[in-house]
Amino acid sequence: LFITGGSGFMGKVLIEKLLRSCPDIKTIFILLRPLKGKSIEERLKTITALPLFEPIRKVMPHVLHKLRPIQGDITELQMGLSDQDINRMRNVSIIFHSAASVRFDDPLKYAVFMNTRGTREVMKFAENLQNIKVVLHVSTTYSNPDRHTVEEEIYPPLADWKKTVEICEKMDEDVINILTPQYTGFMPNTYVFSKNLAEHVSNDYKGKVPVVIFR
């Protein structure tokens, strides 16, 4: 397995549940970046030392060895992965993509790089895996805040995600910040806008990789 967003609230709960309930899992690769002077190995130890993992530490501590930190950054192209780490993960068959910025006040450029382009990079990685069975993209009901009832369907996009990524890559950030309210259609914030576009990234890759969108 490969998990993005493993250090987040949902990611930690997911990892604990997988370790406790799915004994046949061989390896869980977790995308992490060095943070505040901590290496990715130290960050993983901090995660598994949480009270959440206490039952596992007491009853089945051996399963913690299934966790493998992978250095990277979802905001970077190719998720910041080295060729060596990509090769290490060549047998990955399931991806949980839960990495996202949930801040409502992120600049549009950062929100798009994190939530929209990051999703594209996950899909591109999955596309090259020989044994891929499913990519589960963690979305949010708030991707469609203009609807009173959100059904299990893909609604029209708020913008063209490819053009939006290109704009954020090429245009001056100050100009982007000025134009953000108009460009996002006056959506409540950049979070819902970028997460809406991420659903359409996933939808566009559905013919290339098996994709599930979980709101």
Side-chain angles (χ1 to χ4, degrees):
L1 276 66
F2 176 49
I3 297 175
T4 72
S7 62
F9 173 75
M10 287 188 64
K12 290 194 286 279
V13 173
L14 172 65
I15 292 168
E16 192 277 340
K17 176 66 172 177
L18 290 169
L19 288 175
R20 181 165 45 84
S21 304
C22 304
D24 293 335
I25 292 174
K26 182 179 179 182
T27 307
I28 301 177
F29 296 105
I30 304 170
L31 186 71
L32 293 169
R33 58 181 176 176
L35 192 63
K36 296 179 181 177
K38 285 187 176 182
S39 68
I40 57 173
E41 290 79 14
E42 291 171 327
R43 290 196 64 197
L44 182 58
K45 287 182 180 179
T46 299
I47 292 171
T48 56
L50 293 169
L52 170 67
F53 289 87
E54 185 174 353
I56 288 179
R57 292 196 302 270
K58 286 184 176 181
V59 179
M60 46 196 302
H62 61 281
V63 302
L64 293 173
H65 296 294
K66 296 182 179 184
L67 303 180
R68 298 285 187 271
I70 293 289
Q71 183 164 321
D73 188 335
I74 199 69
T75 65
E76 297 181 9
L77 295 175
Q78 198 173 282
M79 294 182 284
L81 296 172
S82 67
D83 291 339
Q84 181 180 1
D85 283 337
I86 290 174
N87 185 57
R88 285 175 64 196
M89 295 192 289
R90 64 186 181 278
N91 292 322
V92 163
S93 59
I94 297 173
I95 296 175
F96 291 92
H97 174 43
S98 64
S101 171
V102 297
R103 291 173 58 94
F104 293 165
D105 58 351
D106 276 333
L108 181 61
K109 181 174 182 176
Y110 181 80
V112 167
F113 278 9
M114 183 78 177
N115 298 337
T116 309
R117 191 179 75 172
T119 301
R120 182 195 69 184
E121 295 306 295
V122 170
M123 297 299 169
K124 289 173 67 176
F125 170 71
E127 193 177 5
N128 292 314
L129 295 173
Q130 298 297 317
N131 301 317
I132 190 68
K133 303 299 182 186
V134 66
V135 179
L136 189 142
H137 168 62
V138 179
S139 185
T140 169
T141 302
Y142 302 106
S143 290
N144 303 279
D146 56 329
R147 297 182 181 273
H148 294 289
T149 302
V150 179
E151 304 288 352
E152 291 185 349
E153 61 180 279
I154 303 294
Y155 294 100
L158 299 177
D160 184 314
W161 71 263
K162 293 180 182 179
K163 290 182 179 178
T164 303
V165 169
E166 184 178 4
I167 287 171
C168 290
E169 288 176 334
K170 296 182 178 180
M171 188 175 288
D172 180 80
E173 189 166 3
D174 290 334
V175 176
I176 294 174
N177 292 338
I178 293 171
L179 297 177
T180 293
Q182 291 82 9
Y183 189 78
T184 60
F186 295 93
M187 295 302 290
N189 49 64
T190 56
Y191 169 72
V192 298
F193 180 78
S194 57
K195 290 293 284 185
N196 173 278
L197 298 188
E199 287 198 354
H200 290 277
V201 175
S202 301
N203 192 50
D204 284 356
Y205 272 86
K206 67 183 179 183
K208 302 175 182 178
V209 294
V211 179
V212 172
I213 295 176
F214 173 65
R215 292 181 180 134

